[in-house]
Every structure is written in structure tokens, then in C-alpha cells.
């Protein structure tokens, strides 16, 4: 869906992006991470031609973006920025309906679409449709920004630190909503974040940048297991890498069948992560847990020994495991 081949961007003599190549297949979630100033935002903005690249080729849906009309291209691509970029003197409903109105959708269709998106993102219409951006909390404004980016049903979403300034709980809720939305609507997403846990949780494909170059790319688990160099290692958490891998691995995939011995007191749902299991063992001073299904019925057990000795932490998809 998106392909960058040997793409560079120069500002004067300085390369902000230096010969990067990457592909994002349709329906996949790509996260760009790296230290400040390494070229993440520039990369995003070249994809929707808010910035013109200096060298290389960028293809969207197999077609070179130079051959698209920039305005038409941008309407196919939703773009969310950290500061939300909402129009302050427009209501929430009007902000969300911006692109469909520009596309001259019939008024009734726009209204229906705005209502649909507000419901999808947990913004009750009666409560929020008539509010102005300054009357919203940061998290509500972020939701409006995401709703607006989705309004004309673009195939591609570019998101530049969209959940930057949120508290951890709101942030986690929005991450979960985004993951569900993306899976359900089959959007192709390129996402920039400074939060490594967020990147690991959401991404199918993780791209680590440094000084305008791509240092390493691959699945989150592949990078956690084999960081290319000390920079990637420390960005991914250094000593914490083991726990981050455990966070991407489900209890279900490592439990044993129920034994003859008395079941352990502490219970953990099968869909939880091994990281949560380890934490529960530390909290409850035990080295065995009873694994339960959604009805709280015991279906297996998990031992510390098994996690440490046998766990091949590379077997499951990152997304489901969290
Ligand atoms: N319009 C511009 N003119 C000149 N230099 C620019 C311009 N935009 C960005 N740069 C430079 O390009 C480099 C990459 O910037 P970019 O905004 O892509 O970084 P970033 O990875 O998004 O950083 P951050 O995490 O801080 O948002 C920086 O060194 C920046 O100073
Ligand atoms: Mg940036």
C-alpha cells in the first residue's frame, strides 16, 4: 500500500531523511520510533506530500505520488497530529465533517457519517456535537482528531504522536480503540511515537530511525530478540527487553494442562500476557498460577519454571498478546 524506495529529504545541505526504504502492506500497522529530530515527522509528511521529497520514489497503492494531484492524494490519506489541528471556531461536528464536505458529499450523508464516527469513538452526539475545541479535554480533542481523519474513509492513516499528551489510562483506551478500529476497517497505518510500549503494542512492523536513516526494521518481537546494535537495544529498553517480550506473549500459549496437584490459589485469564503473569507471581509470592477462561473456569496452569526454562517467546503475534 505504501512503499518508499531510497527516499531522501534535504533541507539546504542537511539531510533530514537519508536514503530510507520501507514497505507497508495493506491493513498493516507500521510504527516509526527514534530520538527527537531523526526524521520521523518528515517521513510521514512526505507520504501525503505536505513535504516534497528530494530523491527516491514514494508509491501509494502502486502509483508514484508525484503523479497524484496532492489535494486528491491527501483526501485519501487521513492525517492526525499531536496538537490535533482542530479549527477553534468550529464545532466538533463541523470539524469532523470537514473532508466529506470538501468532497461535496450530500449534507445528510455528512451528518450521518459524523454521527457514526462520534459513536465509534465514544463521543456521545448530544453531549459533544455542539462543543468547541476549547471545551474539550485533551483526550476528547484527540478523539475528534482521529474521527476527522477517518471521516472520508481513507485507506491510509498517518498519525504523528496522536496520543502524546494523554494520561496513561486515556492513552491505553485510545490505543485499544485504535487497534480494534484498524483491524475492523482494515486501514493501513503509519504511526510515530516516542512511547516504546505503545509502538510494541500496536505495530506489526517496527522501524527504528536515527539521524535520518533506518537502523533496523522488522516485527516487534524480532527487534526485541535481536536488536541490531546498542542504540536499538537501549531504545527498546535494554535490560527491560525480557519483560517487553513477555508482554507480547500470551499465557494461553505457555500454559500446561491441569495437573494432579492442588490448583494454585492465584488465577490469571488465559488472554493475559506472560508479563502480567510474572507480576502476579511477584505480588502473590507464588511460582504457580491457575489459568482460567472467560467464565473464570480453570483450564490450565502456568509455572515460573516453565516460563523461564521453556518459553519460546517468539511464537505469537504481538497484537493479540497484549
Ligand atoms: N522545514 C524545515 N527546514 C529545515 N529543517 C527542517 C525542517 N523540518 C525539519 N527539519 C529538520 O529535519 C530533521 C528531522 O525533523 P523531524 O521533524 O522529521 O524530526 P522528528 O523525528 O519528527 O523529531 P521529533 O521526535 O522531535 O518530532 C531535524 O533535524 C529538523 O531540524
Ligand atoms: Mg516529529
Amino acid at each position: 500500500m505504501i512503499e518508499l524506495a531510497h527516499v531522501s529529504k534535504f533541507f539546504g545541505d542537511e539531510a533530514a531523511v537519508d536514503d530510507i526504504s520501507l514497505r507497508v502492506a495493506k491493513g498493516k500497522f507500521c510504527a516509526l520510533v527514534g530520538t527527537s529530530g531523526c526524521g520521523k515527522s518528515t517521513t510521514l509528511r512526505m507520504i501525503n506530500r505536505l513535504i516534497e521529497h528530494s530523491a527516491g520514489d514514494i508509491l501509494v497503492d502502486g502509483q508514484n505520488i508525484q503523479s497524484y494531484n496532492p489535494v486528491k492524494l491527501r483526501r485519501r490519506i487521513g492525517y492526525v497530529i499531536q496538537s490535533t489541528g482542530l479549527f477553534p471556531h468550529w464545532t466538533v461536528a463541523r470539524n469532523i465533517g470537514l473532508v466529506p464536505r470538501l468532497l461535496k458529499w450530500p449534507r445528510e450523508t455528512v451528518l450521518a457519517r459524523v454521527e457514526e464516527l462520534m459513536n465509534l469513538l465514544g463521543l456521545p452526539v448530544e453531549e459533544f456535537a455542539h462543543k468547541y475545541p476549547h471545551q474539550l479535554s485533551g483526550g476528547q480533542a484527540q478523539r475528534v482528531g482521529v474521527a476527522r481523519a477517518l471521516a472520508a474513509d481513507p485507506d491510509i492513516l498517518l498519525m504523528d504522536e496522536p496520543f502524546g499528551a494523554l494520561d496513561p489510562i486515556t492513552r491505553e483506551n485510545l490505543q485499544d480503540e485504535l487497534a480494534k478500529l484498524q483491524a475492523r476497517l482494515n486501514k493501513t497505518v503509519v504511526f510515530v511515537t516516542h512511547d516504546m510500549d505503545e509502538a510494541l503494542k500496536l505495530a506489526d512492523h517496527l522501524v527504528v530511525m536515527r539521524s535520518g536513516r533506518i537502523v533496523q526494521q522488522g516485527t516487534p518481537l524480532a527487534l526485541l530478540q535481536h536488536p541490531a546494535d546498542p542504540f536499538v537495544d537501549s531504545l527498546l529498553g535494554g535490560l527491560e527487553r525480557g519483560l517487553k517480550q513477555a508482554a507480547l506473549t500470551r499465557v494461553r500459549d505457555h500454559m500446561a494442562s491441569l495437573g494432579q496437584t492442588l490448583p494454585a490459589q492465584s488465577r490469571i485469564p488465559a488472554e493475559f500476557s506472560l508479563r502480567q503473569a510474572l507480576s502476579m507471581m511477584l505480588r502473590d509470592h507464588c511460582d504457580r498460577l491457575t489459568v482460567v477462561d472467560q467464565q473464570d473456569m480453570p483450564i490450565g496452569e502456568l509455572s515460573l519454571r516453565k516460563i523461564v526454562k521453556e518459553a519460546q517467546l517468539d511464537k505469537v503475534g504481538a497484537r493479540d498478546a497484549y
Side-chain angles (χ1 to χ4, degrees), residues 9-12 14-17 33-45 51 82 160-161 192-194 209 211-212:
K9 173 66 193 178
F10 295 95
F11 291 110
E14 294 287 314
V17 170
V33 297
T35 43
S36 185
C38 69
K40 305 179 295 294
S41 299
T42 305
T43 300
L44 273 199
R45 305 179 81 196
I51 295 179
Q82 176 174 0
D160 198 342
E161 298 183 53
V192 170
T193 181
H194 278 288
M209 294 182 67
S211 311

Side-chain angles (χ1 to χ4, degrees), residues 160-319:
D160 198 342
E161 298 183 53
F163 310 142
L166 301 179
D167 70 86
I169 293 173
T170 310
R171 192 174 178 123
E172 212 173 313
N173 286 339
L174 279 183
Q175 289 165 356
D176 293 342
E177 280 168 30
L178 178 65
K180 277 192 223 139
L181 259 173
Q182 190 243 349
R184 186 144 61 93
L185 307 177
N186 200 30
K187 301 293 179 200
T188 307
V189 182
V190 186
F191 188 99
V192 170
T193 181
H194 278 288
D195 178 339
M196 189 51 63
D197 288 316
E198 181 168 270
L200 292 169
K201 170 177 173 176
L202 294 171
D204 302 298
H205 190 72
L206 184 61
V207 177
V208 179
M209 294 182 67
R210 183 184 198 182
S211 311
R213 292 175 163 268
I214 292 178
V215 207
Q216 193 176 7
Q217 55 181 319
T219 63
L221 271 178
L223 267 64
L224 281 170
Q225 285 169 335
H226 306 290
D229 62 20
F231 171 73
V232 178
D233 181 15
S234 80
L235 200 71
L236 290 177
L239 260 185
E240 300 271 316
R241 275 202 286 122
L243 284 175
K244 291 190 194 294
Q245 272 187 54
L248 297 182
T249 311
R250 265 179 307 188
V251 166
R252 173 180 293 288
D253 297 305
H254 291 278
M255 66 186 191
S257 38
L258 280 171
Q260 307 297 335
T261 46
L262 224 53
Q265 290 269 315
S266 301
R267 295 171 160 232
I268 188 159
E271 300 313 316
F272 276 35
S273 71
L274 287 189
R275 182 185 180 128
Q276 288 168 312
L278 285 167
S279 177
M280 192 179 275
M281 288 174 184
L282 289 171
R283 184 194 70 186
D284 296 352
H285 307 287
C286 63
D287 57 9
R288 250 175 1 114
L289 301 173
T290 298
V291 181
V292 295
D293 66 10
Q294 284 173 349
Q295 281 72 47
D296 203 32
M297 290 299 292
I299 53 170
E301 66 170 31
L302 185 72
S303 70
L304 179 61
R305 200 163 148 263
K306 189 161 158 54
I307 298 178
V308 176
K309 285 212 163 163
E310 297 170 30
Q312 293 289 323
L313 297 177
D314 55 357
K315 281 196 179 144
V316 285
R319 153 109 13 111

Side-chain angles (χ1 to χ4, degrees), residues 130-151:
H130 301 287
K131 286 203 164 146
Y132 288 87
H134 74 269
Q135 296 168 310
L136 304 175
S137 75
Q140 290 158 353
Q142 297 278 6
R143 277 162 215 254
V144 176
V146 174
R148 185 176 62 175
L150 287 169

